[in-house]
Amino acid sequence: MTPSARNLILANAATLGLAVAFGWDIGWLMWPFWMQSVIIGVYAYRRMMSLRDFATKGLTSNKQPVPETEAGKRSTARFFALHFGAFHAGYLAFLVSEHAVTAPIELLALVGCGLSFLFSQRQTFEAQHAADLQGRPNLGKLMFLPYVRIVPMHLGIMFGASLDGGVMVLAGFVVLKTIADLALDHADRRMAVKKAESLERV
């Protein structure tokens, strides 16, 4: 198991523990995972902006291929930041309206969750960036992979209100989110490694 995968599991397990301790339902659990998703988006933007050598095959903008240039990279990263940010701003409005957090102890718990996710994602970014420098990752794939994180959030909003609370429901939601996290982490690494291997054979 890679260090980044282990850290993701530990961070999500800690969140589940807090949720059980405070008696949160799925709606409340959306808060720490929203924070994690925002952190992932920040590092995804940073990762794209840090690329030196990259491909844009299959990526278009205004029906035109995105050039493999600094300008193409920056415009793609900016589009991602705006779109991903707007999406999560909508989620934030929903959470504030339906699951406002006011208790100091819960606010402190959420800060702790955010810091654990930040530490985990920073380590993941460092490993991914090192792999990116050895290969030639596809900019379009890097832009779309973070959206995998949104699927469990959708499911939580759609079905959370109709499900009774309880440890099993919380655990199921956390497991679903963890699977998405690990899948994205693995996909990122494999993509970079395969590109590096293909360049070595040239």
Side-chain angles (χ1 to χ4, degrees), residues 76-153:
T76 300
R78 284 196 295 267
F79 172 81
F80 167 81
L82 289 172
H83 187 270
F84 200 80
F87 200 95
H88 284 78
Y91 271 117
L92 178 60
F94 168 82
L95 290 174
V96 170
S97 173
E98 300 297 327
H99 303 284
V101 179
T102 57
I105 188 64
E106 290 185 344
L107 288 172
L108 185 61
L110 288 177
V111 170
C113 288
L115 291 176
S116 69
F117 289 140
L118 182 63
F119 175 75
S120 173
Q121 192 61 29
R122 183 178 64 184
Q123 289 193 321
T124 297
F125 167 77
E126 291 172 353
Q128 291 168 342
H129 179 58
D132 289 342
L133 296 180
Q134 297 176 21
R136 192 166 182 262
N138 185 286
L139 182 62
K141 291 182 179 180
L142 293 188
M143 181 180 69
F144 287 112
L145 278 174
Y147 287 94
V148 174
R149 296 299 204 275
I150 294 173
V151 174
M153 297 179 73

Side-chain angles (χ1 to χ4, degrees), residues 19 32-33 48 54 57 81 100 102 108 113-114 120 126 129 161-162 173 191 194 197 202:
F33 286 137
M48 285 186 280
F54 57 91
K57 183 178 179 180
T102 57
L108 185 61
C113 288
S120 173
E126 291 172 353
H129 179 58
S162 61
F173 184 74
M191 182 170 59
K194 287 174 67 176
E197 291 174 348
V202 174

Side-chain angles (χ1 to χ4, degrees), residues 64 78 179:
Q64 298 296 323
R78 284 196 295 267
I179 290 173

Side-chain angles (χ1 to χ4, degrees), residues 52-68:
R52 297 177 186 173
D53 189 20
F54 57 91
T56 59
K57 183 178 179 180
L59 181 63
T60 61
S61 177
N62 295 322
K63 299 183 179 180
Q64 298 296 323
V66 174
E68 296 177 0

